[in-house]
Amino acid sequence: MNDAVTTLADLKETVARFADQRDWGKFHTPKNLAMSLSIEAAELLEHFQWLEPDRCERNALSPEKLHEIGEECADVLAYLLGLANRLDLDLAKIFEQKMERNAEKYPAEQFRGRYGHEDIT
């Protein structure tokens, strides 16, 4: 698998098969999956806690640290995909719709180089 050729459907199937092989469906309720997603996201944040922004970039991180961060990203993704599976969500379609709404909410010509509404004139 790699990002260039692996689809969301492939990833969702991998997560579903892994859970099915272990009979974990009874544990993978939407509540438990959402909680686990949040917990794993917090574990990802720990890797950046108290670091100056320039120390968070790829070239400033050791290969070991990058590996650990990647592992946490994989955990977050696995729980997100599991939640999407459980709720039968089409993530690609929902993502596309959300990005369209974001483009309307934050027009590039008004928000280029800005991050909030407070400095729009």
Side-chain angles (χ1 to χ4, degrees):
M1 287 187 178
N2 67 60
D3 286 354
V5 298
T6 305
T7 67
L8 273 173
D10 295 334
L11 295 175
K12 288 172 78 173
E13 174 57 32
T14 299
V15 168
R17 188 173 47 253
F18 183 87
D20 288 346
Q21 289 171 345
R22 289 153 182 81
D23 193 25
W24 285 353
K26 58 190 164 213
F27 308 117
H28 285 193
T29 64
K31 176 194 76 77
N32 288 347
L33 291 166
M35 289 174 63
S36 296
L37 173 60
S38 180
I39 291 164
E40 292 299 338
E43 290 179 12
L44 175 60
L45 284 171
E46 277 187 304
H47 290 282
F48 300 101
Q49 188 177 19
W50 310 119
L51 292 182
E52 295 297 323
D54 62 331
R55 296 204 39 233
C56 297
E57 298 296 335
R58 181 179 180 87
N59 63 353
L61 298 167
S62 70
E64 295 80 16
K65 183 56 79 175
L66 282 171
H67 177 78
E68 292 170 6
I69 291 168
E71 293 272 318
E72 296 300 344
C73 288
D75 288 341
V76 168
L77 181 59
Y79 282 117
L80 176 62
L81 294 169
L83 182 60
N85 282 342
R86 182 63 183 242
L87 297 176
D88 194 25
L89 300 174
D90 184 335
L91 289 176
K93 179 138 188 85
I94 294 166
F95 180 79
E96 177 185 40
Q97 293 168 345
K98 180 64 174 176
M99 293 305 294
E100 288 171 358
R101 283 194 304 282
N102 286 345
E104 291 172 10
K105 186 175 179 180
Y106 304 105
E109 60 277 359
Q110 290 179 338
F111 284 86
R112 184 166 284 109
R114 301 171 190 214
Y115 64 90
H117 288 279
E118 67 280 348
D119 60 351
I120 298 298
T121 56

